[in-house]
Amino acid sequence: MDNSSTDLNRAIEGLIRGREFTRRLKEIIKKPLVVGGEVANIMAEELVAKIMESFSETLSVINNSDVIVATPVEVKSPEDYSSGSCKSSDRRGCYKRRKTSESNIKESSDLVDDGHAWRKYGQKQILNSTYPRHYFRCTHKYDQKCQASKQVQKVQDNPQRFRTTYYGHHTCKAFPRVSQIILDSPMDGNSNYISFDQNHAFPSIKQETKEEVVFGFYPKIEDQIQSSSSDYFLPNDNDHDHLTPATFEASGSRMTSPDVMSSGVYSSCTTTSNDNLEIDIDFEEGLWNFDQV
DNA sequence: GCCATTTGACCACG
DNA sequence: CGTGGTCAAATGGC
């Protein structure tokens, strides 16, 4: 963890510098006449620029270290939200609200695949926020009764960043890759997956992997939404209100941009220390879609 | 044809 | 009643 400690130091230094510059700026603002109008203005501008620079640098340092915020948030939990009974059988509606007791917020400049297969089940425009919120549940919600879910939303002040709020934790087993499952023989030491595999017939493993792929490129797609069409807020003149450019579709195979690979793959390994996010996949296999900025 | 995503509707909660 | 979370029919890709 030398890397991360170095980054931490750099981040701290940047913040300290920013604080110092801010302090000086405050001095100037406090007694502008002493220094002299024009000169004070220039100095103030310089300081502001330095402050910005310090903070930007700090942010970039933090960005590279992948995990920004890991704020445990308590959400009151009525244990089971059983919401009465399903009255109308034909209609929708017999559903429960979130019943997990805590959430875990993670913010990053990129959507790092957490090693689990997610399935999107909703998207909602949130009041007073520019960007829609996306709702995901674990792919194995039903076949493995996995209650994990998450919400992803762009950070209001910083659209390059995504805030992911995790609810619940995965009780499912994450299967990183088809090849691994198939190729792993029960004999070799790494038989975790195999033993589990005997209990459940997994409907389709390829889905999982596909989802991972899709999710890996999710930020780019999201960017497309926002920058190119931004269908939700600026109705396109040529079309109706929803042009929805294949929002998260991108269908894995469409890995258009070459910059996807390499770069900072290793850094995603350094996340750890976040016990809520247990990524029990083999990184060698999983890394390639961890695309960093 | 299967399956994931989209998207409007439904519903709980404050 | 407004807002946000979830559902499920419709849609589209493979």
Side-chain angles (χ1 to χ4, degrees):
Chain A
M1 292 281 175
D2 283 331
N3 255 352
S4 57
S5 62
T6 308
D7 286 345
L8 182 64
N9 285 337
R10 286 178 58 198
I12 292 173
E13 285 168 13
L15 289 172
I16 291 174
R17 272 202 307 277
R19 189 179 61 182
E20 174 60 20
F21 292 143
T22 308
R23 195 185 57 76
R24 287 191 215 167
L25 180 61
K26 185 181 162 193
E27 296 282 321
I28 292 177
I29 292 173
K30 225 162 50 176
K31 37 186 179 180
L33 294 179
V34 175
V35 189
E38 191 78 20
V39 181
N41 272 345
I42 294 173
M43 284 179 65
E45 280 179 13
E46 281 178 5
L47 283 172
V48 169
K50 284 185 174 181
I51 291 168
M52 297 284 285
E53 189 184 349
S54 283
F55 287 155
S56 297
E57 188 184 328
T58 305
L59 279 172
S60 73
V61 168
I62 297 174
N63 281 359
N64 288 337
S65 58
D66 187 32
V67 173
I68 295 297
V69 183
T71 317
V73 173
E74 283 298 324
V75 176
K76 59 175 180 260
S77 65
E79 197 51 28
D80 59 344
Y81 265 89
S82 43
S83 82
S85 55
C86 306
K87 335 181 169 176
S88 47
S89 54
D90 51 341
R91 298 298 299 164
R92 315 163 169 175
C94 46
Y95 67 87
K96 303 163 185 164
R97 285 255 161 148
R98 172 163 50 248
K99 56 180 172 183
T100 48
S101 57
E102 46 180 87
S103 66
N104 185 46
I105 301 175
K106 176 184 172 184
E107 192 179 297
S108 69
S109 56
D110 198 347
L111 278 185
V112 176
D113 187 353
D114 49 21
H116 292 284
W118 297 100
R119 174 152 177 178
K120 187 177 179 180
Y121 66 85
Q123 173 177 331
K124 192 99 183 179
Q125 192 59 46
I126 302 301
L127 193 74
N128 290 332
S129 65
T130 315
Y131 309 104
R133 181 175 298 167
H134 306 271
Y135 299 89
F136 295 87
R137 62 163 175 82
C138 180
T139 299
H140 306 297
K141 180 178 182 178
Y142 300 114
D143 60 350
Q144 292 187 45
K145 306 267 195 292
C146 182
Q147 293 299 314
S149 67
K150 71 174 180 181
Q151 300 175 2
V152 179
Q153 189 176 8
K154 281 197 170 193
V155 177
Q156 183 81 8
D157 304 335
N158 196 349
Q160 289 101 330
R161 307 185 60 74
F162 291 84
R163 173 163 296 154
T164 305
T165 308
Y166 293 87
Y167 297 96
H169 62 280
H170 285 274
T171 55
C172 65
K173 263 292 184 183
F175 290 89
R177 213 140 285 297
V178 181
S179 58
Q180 191 163 44
I181 296 170
I182 295 176
L183 295 179
D184 259 359
S185 67
M187 300 180 298
D188 61 29
N190 201 3
S191 59
N192 291 348
Y193 303 130
I194 300 299
S195 60
F196 196 80
D197 191 20
Q198 294 169 346
N199 299 335
H200 301 266
F202 294 99
S204 162
I205 292 161
K206 88 171 180 280
Q207 308 168 211
E208 269 184 57
T209 53
K210 181 191 164 195
E211 271 187 75
E212 284 183 29
V213 173
V214 169
F215 192 75
F217 300 110
Y218 172 42
K220 302 189 185 309
I221 300 159
E222 177 77 6
D223 274 344
Q224 284 175 8
I225 300 171
Q226 301 304 341
S227 57
S228 61
S229 71
S230 61
D231 41 40
Y232 279 92
F233 327 109
L234 303 173
N236 271 350
D237 33 298
N238 50 358
D239 232 305
H240 312 299
D241 41 352
H242 71 299
L243 187 88
T244 323
T247 312
F248 294 92
E249 203 66 8
S251 69
S253 57
R254 252 183 118 70
M255 36 186 77
T256 52
S257 47
D259 58 328
V260 158
M261 39 193 310
S262 67
S263 62
V265 277
Y266 45 82
S267 65
S268 54
C269 299
T270 66
T271 65
T272 62
S273 79
N274 198 346
D275 46 344
N276 282 20
L277 309 171
E278 34 192 355
I279 302 177
D280 51 355
I281 64 168
D282 186 344
F283 275 109
E284 285 176 4
E285 294 290 337
L287 270 179
W288 62 275
N289 58 17
F290 286 12
D291 131 40
Q292 303 266 322
V293 180

